[in-house]
mmCIF file of all heavy atoms in Angstrom:
data_model
loop_
_atom_site.group_PDB
_atom_site.id
_atom_site.type_symbol
_atom_site.label_atom_id
_atom_site.label_comp_id
_atom_site.label_asym_id
_atom_site.label_seq_id
_atom_site.Cartn_x
_atom_site.Cartn_y
_atom_site.Cartn_z
ATOM 1 N N VAL X 50 -125.879 -12.737 -168.560
ATOM 2 C CA VAL X 50 -126.504 -12.593 -169.876
ATOM 3 C C VAL X 50 -128.024 -12.433 -169.732
ATOM 4 O O VAL X 50 -128.624 -11.561 -170.385
ATOM 5 C CB VAL X 50 -126.164 -13.814 -170.762
ATOM 6 C CG1 VAL X 50 -126.994 -13.796 -172.030
ATOM 7 C CG2 VAL X 50 -124.684 -13.801 -171.095
ATOM 8 N N LEU X 51 -128.640 -13.262 -168.885
ATOM 9 C CA LEU X 51 -130.095 -13.229 -168.751
ATOM 10 C C LEU X 51 -130.595 -11.981 -168.028
ATOM 11 O O LEU X 51 -131.637 -11.421 -168.387
ATOM 12 C CB LEU X 51 -130.585 -14.481 -168.014
ATOM 13 C CG LEU X 51 -130.396 -15.804 -168.752
ATOM 14 C CD1 LEU X 51 -130.882 -16.965 -167.903
ATOM 15 C CD2 LEU X 51 -131.121 -15.787 -170.095
ATOM 16 N N MET X 52 -129.867 -11.552 -166.976
ATOM 17 C CA MET X 52 -130.333 -10.461 -166.127
ATOM 18 C C MET X 52 -129.831 -9.080 -166.537
ATOM 19 O O MET X 52 -130.423 -8.066 -166.171
ATOM 20 C CB MET X 52 -129.929 -10.713 -164.664
ATOM 21 C CG MET X 52 -130.444 -12.026 -164.120
ATOM 22 S SD MET X 52 -132.263 -12.072 -164.071
ATOM 23 C CE MET X 52 -132.538 -13.747 -163.499
ATOM 24 N N VAL X 53 -128.716 -9.037 -167.289
ATOM 25 C CA VAL X 53 -128.141 -7.731 -167.639
ATOM 26 C C VAL X 53 -128.088 -7.528 -169.161
ATOM 27 O O VAL X 53 -128.637 -6.559 -169.685
ATOM 28 C CB VAL X 53 -126.706 -7.604 -167.036
ATOM 29 C CG1 VAL X 53 -126.099 -6.263 -167.447
ATOM 30 C CG2 VAL X 53 -126.768 -7.732 -165.523
ATOM 31 N N ALA X 54 -127.412 -8.442 -169.839
ATOM 32 C CA ALA X 54 -127.174 -8.221 -171.270
ATOM 33 C C ALA X 54 -128.482 -8.238 -172.068
ATOM 34 O O ALA X 54 -128.725 -7.350 -172.902
ATOM 35 C CB ALA X 54 -126.206 -9.280 -171.789
ATOM 36 N N VAL X 55 -129.328 -9.246 -171.829
ATOM 37 C CA VAL X 55 -130.582 -9.338 -172.596
ATOM 38 C C VAL X 55 -131.506 -8.164 -172.310
ATOM 39 O O VAL X 55 -132.042 -7.544 -173.256
ATOM 40 C CB VAL X 55 -131.267 -10.689 -172.306
ATOM 41 C CG1 VAL X 55 -132.649 -10.730 -172.945
ATOM 42 C CG2 VAL X 55 -130.427 -11.825 -172.855
ATOM 43 N N PRO X 56 -131.758 -7.786 -171.009
ATOM 44 C CA PRO X 56 -132.597 -6.583 -170.781
ATOM 45 C C PRO X 56 -132.031 -5.320 -171.390
ATOM 46 O O PRO X 56 -132.789 -4.485 -171.911
ATOM 47 C CB PRO X 56 -132.659 -6.506 -169.251
ATOM 48 C CG PRO X 56 -132.432 -7.897 -168.785
ATOM 49 C CD PRO X 56 -131.456 -8.469 -169.756
ATOM 50 N N LEU X 57 -130.688 -5.162 -171.352
ATOM 51 C CA LEU X 57 -130.083 -3.969 -171.947
ATOM 52 C C LEU X 57 -130.294 -3.942 -173.449
ATOM 53 O O LEU X 57 -130.649 -2.902 -174.039
ATOM 54 C CB LEU X 57 -128.602 -3.914 -171.627
ATOM 55 C CG LEU X 57 -128.209 -3.356 -170.262
ATOM 56 C CD1 LEU X 57 -126.710 -3.458 -170.043
ATOM 57 C CD2 LEU X 57 -128.655 -1.896 -170.140
ATOM 58 N N ALA X 58 -130.086 -5.083 -174.075
ATOM 59 C CA ALA X 58 -130.280 -5.151 -175.520
ATOM 60 C C ALA X 58 -131.749 -4.883 -175.885
ATOM 61 O O ALA X 58 -132.041 -4.164 -176.863
ATOM 62 C CB ALA X 58 -129.838 -6.522 -176.034
ATOM 63 N N TYR X 59 -132.652 -5.410 -175.095
ATOM 64 C CA TYR X 59 -134.090 -5.196 -175.372
ATOM 65 C C TYR X 59 -134.467 -3.723 -175.171
ATOM 66 O O TYR X 59 -135.236 -3.158 -175.949
ATOM 67 C CB TYR X 59 -134.921 -6.098 -174.477
ATOM 68 C CG TYR X 59 -136.398 -6.016 -174.744
ATOM 69 C CD1 TYR X 59 -136.923 -6.379 -175.991
ATOM 70 C CD2 TYR X 59 -137.290 -5.563 -173.774
ATOM 71 C CE1 TYR X 59 -138.274 -6.293 -176.248
ATOM 72 C CE2 TYR X 59 -138.649 -5.476 -174.030
ATOM 73 C CZ TYR X 59 -139.133 -5.840 -175.264
ATOM 74 O OH TYR X 59 -140.472 -5.742 -175.522
ATOM 75 N N ALA X 60 -133.916 -3.122 -174.096
ATOM 76 C CA ALA X 60 -134.189 -1.699 -173.863
ATOM 77 C C ALA X 60 -133.625 -0.832 -174.995
ATOM 78 O O ALA X 60 -134.261 0.131 -175.436
ATOM 79 C CB ALA X 60 -133.615 -1.263 -172.528
ATOM 80 N N GLY X 61 -132.414 -1.181 -175.451
ATOM 81 C CA GLY X 61 -131.839 -0.456 -176.578
ATOM 82 C C GLY X 61 -132.687 -0.602 -177.838
ATOM 83 O O GLY X 61 -132.874 0.369 -178.584
ATOM 84 N N TYR X 62 -133.225 -1.787 -178.039
ATOM 85 C CA TYR X 62 -134.111 -2.019 -179.194
ATOM 86 C C TYR X 62 -135.391 -1.186 -179.064
ATOM 87 O O TYR X 62 -135.827 -0.545 -180.040
ATOM 88 C CB TYR X 62 -134.428 -3.507 -179.261
ATOM 89 C CG TYR X 62 -135.490 -3.884 -180.258
ATOM 90 C CD1 TYR X 62 -135.192 -3.942 -181.624
ATOM 91 C CD2 TYR X 62 -136.791 -4.184 -179.856
ATOM 92 C CE1 TYR X 62 -136.176 -4.296 -182.549
ATOM 93 C CE2 TYR X 62 -137.770 -4.525 -180.770
ATOM 94 C CZ TYR X 62 -137.467 -4.563 -182.118
ATOM 95 O OH TYR X 62 -138.427 -4.907 -183.030
ATOM 96 N N LEU X 63 -135.971 -1.168 -177.862
ATOM 97 C CA LEU X 63 -137.206 -0.384 -177.660
ATOM 98 C C LEU X 63 -136.987 1.101 -177.882
ATOM 99 O O LEU X 63 -137.878 1.819 -178.356
ATOM 100 C CB LEU X 63 -137.729 -0.628 -176.249
ATOM 101 C CG LEU X 63 -138.410 -1.974 -175.948
ATOM 102 C CD1 LEU X 63 -138.851 -2.020 -174.492
ATOM 103 C CD2 LEU X 63 -139.604 -2.201 -176.870
ATOM 104 N N SER X 64 -135.786 1.577 -177.490
ATOM 105 C CA SER X 64 -135.530 3.026 -177.562
ATOM 106 C C SER X 64 -135.476 3.541 -178.992
ATOM 107 O O SER X 64 -135.482 4.746 -179.204
ATOM 108 C CB SER X 64 -134.216 3.350 -176.837
ATOM 109 O OG SER X 64 -133.120 2.812 -177.555
ATOM 110 N N LEU X 65 -135.407 2.657 -179.957
ATOM 111 C CA LEU X 65 -135.333 3.071 -181.353
ATOM 112 C C LEU X 65 -136.695 3.156 -182.019
ATOM 113 O O LEU X 65 -136.801 3.426 -183.220
ATOM 114 C CB LEU X 65 -134.448 2.090 -182.152
ATOM 115 C CG LEU X 65 -133.019 1.931 -181.631
ATOM 116 C CD1 LEU X 65 -132.279 0.897 -182.450
ATOM 117 C CD2 LEU X 65 -132.284 3.270 -181.654
ATOM 118 N N PHE X 66 -137.759 2.942 -181.240
ATOM 119 C CA PHE X 66 -139.101 2.952 -181.796
ATOM 120 C C PHE X 66 -139.955 3.997 -181.075
ATOM 121 O O PHE X 66 -139.585 4.509 -180.013
ATOM 122 C CB PHE X 66 -139.755 1.569 -181.672
ATOM 123 C CG PHE X 66 -139.100 0.531 -182.543
ATOM 124 C CD1 PHE X 66 -137.974 -0.154 -182.105
ATOM 125 C CD2 PHE X 66 -139.602 0.244 -183.794
ATOM 126 C CE1 PHE X 66 -137.357 -1.104 -182.908
ATOM 127 C CE2 PHE X 66 -139.002 -0.716 -184.604
ATOM 128 C CZ PHE X 66 -137.870 -1.382 -184.160
ATOM 129 N N LYS X 67 -141.096 4.260 -181.640
ATOM 130 C CA LYS X 67 -142.028 5.206 -181.043
ATOM 131 C C LYS X 67 -143.446 4.691 -181.239
ATOM 132 O O LYS X 67 -143.806 4.262 -182.340
ATOM 133 C CB LYS X 67 -141.878 6.599 -181.686
ATOM 134 C CG LYS X 67 -142.763 7.654 -181.050
ATOM 135 C CD LYS X 67 -142.517 9.019 -181.684
ATOM 136 C CE LYS X 67 -143.364 10.098 -181.011
ATOM 137 N NZ LYS X 67 -143.112 11.431 -181.629
ATOM 138 N N LYS X 68 -144.213 4.754 -180.144
ATOM 139 C CA LYS X 68 -145.595 4.270 -180.208
ATOM 140 C C LYS X 68 -146.507 5.483 -180.381
ATOM 141 O O LYS X 68 -146.517 6.402 -179.571
ATOM 142 C CB LYS X 68 -145.950 3.524 -178.912
ATOM 143 C CG LYS X 68 -147.314 2.891 -178.937
ATOM 144 C CD LYS X 68 -147.577 2.118 -177.650
ATOM 145 C CE LYS X 68 -148.955 1.478 -177.677
ATOM 146 N NZ LYS X 68 -149.197 0.732 -176.393
ATOM 147 N N GLN X 69 -147.286 5.458 -181.451
ATOM 148 C CA GLN X 69 -148.173 6.559 -181.767
ATOM 149 C C GLN X 69 -149.626 6.077 -181.748
ATOM 150 O O GLN X 69 -149.896 4.904 -182.028
ATOM 151 C CB GLN X 69 -147.852 7.143 -183.138
ATOM 152 C CG GLN X 69 -146.453 7.769 -183.200
ATOM 153 C CD GLN X 69 -146.085 8.200 -184.609
ATOM 154 O OE1 GLN X 69 -146.460 7.559 -185.586
ATOM 155 N NE2 GLN X 69 -145.374 9.306 -184.701
ATOM 156 N N LEU X 70 -150.502 7.012 -181.387
ATOM 157 C CA LEU X 70 -151.906 6.642 -181.312
ATOM 158 C C LEU X 70 -152.433 6.236 -182.682
ATOM 159 O O LEU X 70 -153.212 5.299 -182.818
ATOM 160 C CB LEU X 70 -152.717 7.836 -180.762
ATOM 161 C CG LEU X 70 -154.197 7.583 -180.483
ATOM 162 C CD1 LEU X 70 -154.347 6.476 -179.453
ATOM 163 C CD2 LEU X 70 -154.877 8.861 -179.998
ATOM 164 N N ILE X 71 -151.960 6.964 -183.697
ATOM 165 C CA ILE X 71 -152.353 6.636 -185.067
ATOM 166 C C ILE X 71 -151.100 6.171 -185.814
ATOM 167 O O ILE X 71 -150.120 6.911 -185.906
ATOM 168 C CB ILE X 71 -152.957 7.863 -185.783
ATOM 169 C CG1 ILE X 71 -154.185 8.339 -185.034
ATOM 170 C CG2 ILE X 71 -153.299 7.529 -187.226
ATOM 171 C CD1 ILE X 71 -154.812 9.600 -185.624
ATOM 172 N N GLY X 72 -151.136 4.975 -186.293
ATOM 173 C CA GLY X 72 -149.965 4.452 -186.997
ATOM 174 C C GLY X 72 -149.239 3.371 -186.237
ATOM 175 O O GLY X 72 -148.380 2.703 -186.798
ATOM 176 N N GLY X 73 -149.531 3.218 -184.938
ATOM 177 C CA GLY X 73 -148.908 2.164 -184.152
ATOM 178 C C GLY X 73 -147.443 2.440 -183.862
ATOM 179 O O GLY X 73 -147.015 3.606 -183.772
ATOM 180 N N ILE X 74 -146.660 1.392 -183.763
ATOM 181 C CA ILE X 74 -145.226 1.491 -183.439
ATOM 182 C C ILE X 74 -144.441 1.648 -184.729
ATOM 183 O O ILE X 74 -144.600 0.864 -185.671
ATOM 184 C CB ILE X 74 -144.776 0.252 -182.658
ATOM 185 C CG1 ILE X 74 -145.555 0.134 -181.347
ATOM 186 C CG2 ILE X 74 -143.296 0.303 -182.376
ATOM 187 C CD1 ILE X 74 -145.250 -1.110 -180.563
ATOM 188 N N SER X 75 -143.579 2.649 -184.743
ATOM 189 C CA SER X 75 -142.754 2.895 -185.938
ATOM 190 C C SER X 75 -141.310 3.117 -185.538
ATOM 191 O O SER X 75 -141.021 3.587 -184.430
ATOM 192 C CB SER X 75 -143.287 4.119 -186.702
ATOM 193 O OG SER X 75 -143.259 5.253 -185.857
ATOM 194 N N PHE X 76 -140.425 2.777 -186.442
ATOM 195 C CA PHE X 76 -138.976 2.952 -186.201
ATOM 196 C C PHE X 76 -138.613 4.414 -186.380
ATOM 197 O O PHE X 76 -138.895 5.018 -187.429
ATOM 198 C CB PHE X 76 -138.185 2.086 -187.166
ATOM 199 C CG PHE X 76 -136.703 2.204 -187.009
ATOM 200 C CD1 PHE X 76 -136.061 1.551 -185.976
ATOM 201 C CD2 PHE X 76 -135.944 3.000 -187.879
ATOM 202 C CE1 PHE X 76 -134.672 1.647 -185.820
ATOM 203 C CE2 PHE X 76 -134.579 3.102 -187.722
ATOM 204 C CZ PHE X 76 -133.949 2.434 -186.685
ATOM 205 N N VAL X 77 -137.987 5.020 -185.339
ATOM 206 C CA VAL X 77 -137.619 6.442 -185.397
ATOM 207 C C VAL X 77 -136.136 6.678 -185.223
ATOM 208 O O VAL X 77 -135.687 7.815 -185.146
ATOM 209 C CB VAL X 77 -138.401 7.238 -184.333
ATOM 210 C CG1 VAL X 77 -139.891 7.209 -184.622
ATOM 211 C CG2 VAL X 77 -138.118 6.710 -182.932
ATOM 212 N N GLY X 78 -135.351 5.595 -185.116
ATOM 213 C CA GLY X 78 -133.897 5.749 -184.973
ATOM 214 C C GLY X 78 -133.523 6.412 -183.649
ATOM 215 O O GLY X 78 -133.922 5.978 -182.573
ATOM 216 N N MET X 79 -132.752 7.510 -183.744
ATOM 217 C CA MET X 79 -132.234 8.185 -182.564
ATOM 218 C C MET X 79 -133.112 9.365 -182.138
ATOM 219 O O MET X 79 -132.690 10.192 -181.326
ATOM 220 C CB MET X 79 -130.820 8.691 -182.842
ATOM 221 C CG MET X 79 -129.836 7.614 -183.273
ATOM 222 S SD MET X 79 -129.586 6.347 -182.010
ATOM 223 C CE MET X 79 -128.656 7.267 -180.803
ATOM 224 N N ASP X 80 -134.331 9.439 -182.667
ATOM 225 C CA ASP X 80 -135.187 10.577 -182.345
ATOM 226 C C ASP X 80 -135.512 10.695 -180.857
ATOM 227 O O ASP X 80 -135.599 11.789 -180.292
ATOM 228 C CB ASP X 80 -136.500 10.500 -183.142
ATOM 229 C CG ASP X 80 -136.292 10.870 -184.595
ATOM 230 O OD1 ASP X 80 -135.135 11.194 -184.952
ATOM 231 O OD2 ASP X 80 -137.257 10.797 -185.372
ATOM 232 N N ASN X 81 -135.699 9.530 -180.195
ATOM 233 C CA ASN X 81 -136.009 9.563 -178.758
ATOM 234 C C ASN X 81 -134.836 10.144 -177.959
ATOM 235 O O ASN X 81 -135.055 10.859 -176.951
ATOM 236 C CB ASN X 81 -136.325 8.145 -178.260
ATOM 237 C CG ASN X 81 -137.687 7.678 -178.680
ATOM 238 O OD1 ASN X 81 -138.615 8.473 -178.811
ATOM 239 N ND2 ASN X 81 -137.840 6.380 -178.921
ATOM 240 N N TYR X 82 -133.620 9.856 -178.391
ATOM 241 C CA TYR X 82 -132.446 10.399 -177.699
ATOM 242 C C TYR X 82 -132.332 11.906 -177.910
ATOM 243 O O TYR X 82 -131.987 12.652 -176.986
ATOM 244 C CB TYR X 82 -131.167 9.682 -178.178
ATOM 245 C CG TYR X 82 -131.128 8.225 -177.788
ATOM 246 C CD1 TYR X 82 -131.578 7.240 -178.659
ATOM 247 C CD2 TYR X 82 -130.633 7.833 -176.551
ATOM 248 C CE1 TYR X 82 -131.537 5.898 -178.311
ATOM 249 C CE2 TYR X 82 -130.599 6.497 -176.188
ATOM 250 C CZ TYR X 82 -131.058 5.544 -177.071
ATOM 251 O OH TYR X 82 -131.028 4.220 -176.712
ATOM 252 N N GLY X 83 -132.594 12.334 -179.149
ATOM 253 C CA GLY X 83 -132.587 13.777 -179.411
ATOM 254 C C GLY X 83 -133.658 14.509 -178.618
ATOM 255 O O GLY X 83 -133.430 15.612 -178.111
ATOM 256 N N ARG X 84 -134.820 13.873 -178.478
ATOM 257 C CA ARG X 84 -135.909 14.482 -177.693
ATOM 258 C C ARG X 84 -135.505 14.595 -176.216
ATOM 259 O O ARG X 84 -135.788 15.607 -175.559
ATOM 260 C CB ARG X 84 -137.153 13.619 -177.834
ATOM 261 C CG ARG X 84 -138.319 14.032 -176.962
ATOM 262 C CD ARG X 84 -139.442 12.989 -177.074
ATOM 263 N NE ARG X 84 -140.472 13.211 -176.064
ATOM 264 C CZ ARG X 84 -141.449 12.323 -175.820
ATOM 265 N NH1 ARG X 84 -141.511 11.197 -176.511
ATOM 266 N NH2 ARG X 84 -142.349 12.587 -174.899
ATOM 267 N N ALA X 85 -134.823 13.544 -175.703
ATOM 268 C CA ALA X 85 -134.421 13.565 -174.280
ATOM 269 C C ALA X 85 -133.386 14.657 -174.007
ATOM 270 O O ALA X 85 -133.404 15.261 -172.925
ATOM 271 C CB ALA X 85 -133.874 12.192 -173.894
ATOM 272 N N LEU X 86 -132.504 14.902 -174.962
ATOM 273 C CA LEU X 86 -131.468 15.906 -174.746
ATOM 274 C C LEU X 86 -132.005 17.328 -174.679
ATOM 275 O O LEU X 86 -131.290 18.245 -174.285
ATOM 276 C CB LEU X 86 -130.395 15.782 -175.849
ATOM 277 C CG LEU X 86 -129.554 14.511 -175.812
ATOM 278 C CD1 LEU X 86 -128.610 14.465 -176.995
ATOM 279 C CD2 LEU X 86 -128.780 14.411 -174.502
ATOM 280 N N THR X 87 -133.229 17.517 -175.112
ATOM 281 C CA THR X 87 -133.860 18.841 -175.020
ATOM 282 C C THR X 87 -135.074 18.818 -174.092
ATOM 283 O O THR X 87 -135.835 19.794 -174.076
ATOM 284 C CB THR X 87 -134.289 19.306 -176.418
ATOM 285 O OG1 THR X 87 -135.179 18.343 -176.994
ATOM 286 C CG2 THR X 87 -133.084 19.485 -177.341
ATOM 287 N N ASP X 88 -135.230 17.734 -173.353
ATOM 288 C CA ASP X 88 -136.386 17.593 -172.451
ATOM 289 C C ASP X 88 -136.065 18.279 -171.114
ATOM 290 O O ASP X 88 -135.157 17.834 -170.390
ATOM 291 C CB ASP X 88 -136.674 16.114 -172.230
ATOM 292 C CG ASP X 88 -137.975 15.893 -171.486
ATOM 293 O OD1 ASP X 88 -138.471 16.845 -170.834
ATOM 294 O OD2 ASP X 88 -138.505 14.762 -171.527
ATOM 295 N N PRO X 89 -136.766 19.332 -170.741
ATOM 296 C CA PRO X 89 -136.451 20.024 -169.474
ATOM 297 C C PRO X 89 -136.680 19.133 -168.241
ATOM 298 O O PRO X 89 -136.001 19.302 -167.234
ATOM 299 C CB PRO X 89 -137.413 21.210 -169.483
ATOM 300 C CG PRO X 89 -138.470 20.889 -170.462
ATOM 301 C CD PRO X 89 -137.864 19.997 -171.472
ATOM 302 N N SER X 90 -137.589 18.175 -168.331
ATOM 303 C CA SER X 90 -137.821 17.275 -167.188
ATOM 304 C C SER X 90 -136.594 16.392 -166.943
ATOM 305 O O SER X 90 -136.136 16.236 -165.804
ATOM 306 C CB SER X 90 -139.054 16.406 -167.438
ATOM 307 O OG SER X 90 -140.225 17.205 -167.528
ATOM 308 N N PHE X 91 -136.057 15.806 -168.000
ATOM 309 C CA PHE X 91 -134.873 14.954 -167.866
ATOM 310 C C PHE X 91 -133.641 15.768 -167.464
ATOM 311 O O PHE X 91 -132.911 15.387 -166.546
ATOM 312 C CB PHE X 91 -134.622 14.213 -169.175
ATOM 313 C CG PHE X 91 -133.370 13.391 -169.181
ATOM 314 C CD1 PHE X 91 -133.234 12.296 -168.347
ATOM 315 C CD2 PHE X 91 -132.299 13.746 -169.988
ATOM 316 C CE1 PHE X 91 -132.063 11.540 -168.337
ATOM 317 C CE2 PHE X 91 -131.130 13.007 -169.994
ATOM 318 C CZ PHE X 91 -131.018 11.901 -169.158
ATOM 319 N N LEU X 92 -133.429 16.888 -168.133
ATOM 320 C CA LEU X 92 -132.261 17.705 -167.816
ATOM 321 C C LEU X 92 -132.339 18.284 -166.410
ATOM 322 O O LEU X 92 -131.326 18.388 -165.708
ATOM 323 C CB LEU X 92 -132.133 18.827 -168.852
ATOM 324 C CG LEU X 92 -131.897 18.373 -170.292
ATOM 325 C CD1 LEU X 92 -131.820 19.579 -171.223
ATOM 326 C CD2 LEU X 92 -130.643 17.529 -170.411
ATOM 327 N N GLY X 93 -133.574 18.679 -165.988
ATOM 328 C CA GLY X 93 -133.727 19.187 -164.618
ATOM 329 C C GLY X 93 -133.397 18.129 -163.585
ATOM 330 O O GLY X 93 -132.764 18.403 -162.555
ATOM 331 N N GLY X 94 -133.845 16.889 -163.828
ATOM 332 C CA GLY X 94 -133.545 15.788 -162.886
ATOM 333 C C GLY X 94 -132.056 15.497 -162.821
ATOM 334 O O GLY X 94 -131.510 15.281 -161.726
ATOM 335 N N VAL X 95 -131.393 15.485 -163.977
ATOM 336 C CA VAL X 95 -129.938 15.257 -163.974
ATOM 337 C C VAL X 95 -129.207 16.370 -163.240
ATOM 338 O O VAL X 95 -128.289 16.107 -162.448
ATOM 339 C CB VAL X 95 -129.427 15.123 -165.440
ATOM 340 C CG1 VAL X 95 -127.908 15.070 -165.457
ATOM 341 C CG2 VAL X 95 -130.006 13.872 -166.093
ATOM 342 N N GLY X 96 -129.613 17.610 -163.473
ATOM 343 C CA GLY X 96 -128.976 18.726 -162.763
ATOM 344 C C GLY X 96 -129.199 18.667 -161.264
ATOM 345 O O GLY X 96 -128.287 18.944 -160.466
ATOM 346 N N ARG X 97 -130.421 18.263 -160.866
ATOM 347 C CA ARG X 97 -130.719 18.137 -159.430
ATOM 348 C C ARG X 97 -129.860 17.038 -158.795
ATOM 349 O O ARG X 97 -129.338 17.216 -157.681
ATOM 350 C CB ARG X 97 -132.210 17.810 -159.275
ATOM 351 C CG ARG X 97 -132.816 18.216 -157.964
ATOM 352 C CD ARG X 97 -134.295 18.044 -158.009
ATOM 353 N NE ARG X 97 -134.946 19.047 -158.844
ATOM 354 C CZ ARG X 97 -135.627 18.771 -159.959
ATOM 355 N NH1 ARG X 97 -135.748 17.528 -160.374
ATOM 356 N NH2 ARG X 97 -136.169 19.728 -160.672
ATOM 357 N N MET X 98 -129.674 15.935 -159.508
ATOM 358 C CA MET X 98 -128.847 14.856 -158.944
ATOM 359 C C MET X 98 -127.364 15.216 -158.978
ATOM 360 O O MET X 98 -126.590 14.750 -158.139
ATOM 361 C CB MET X 98 -129.099 13.575 -159.728
ATOM 362 C CG MET X 98 -130.498 12.973 -159.519
ATOM 363 S SD MET X 98 -130.883 12.656 -157.764
ATOM 364 C CE MET X 98 -131.829 14.121 -157.321
#
Side-chain angles (χ1 to χ4, degrees):
V50 170
L51 293 178
M52 302 297 176
V53 178
V55 172
L57 278 176
Y59 183 62
Y62 171 77
L63 286 179
S64 68
L65 302 177
F66 292 85
K67 184 177 182 180
K68 185 178 180 181
Q69 296 174 325
L70 186 60
I71 300 177
I74 299 176
S75 59
F76 180 78
V77 295
M79 303 298 289
D80 286 359
N81 285 328
Y82 294 94
R84 175 187 169 190
L86 292 176
T87 58
D88 189 341
S90 296
F91 175 66
L92 297 179
V95 172
R97 205 171 288 117
M98 291 304 97

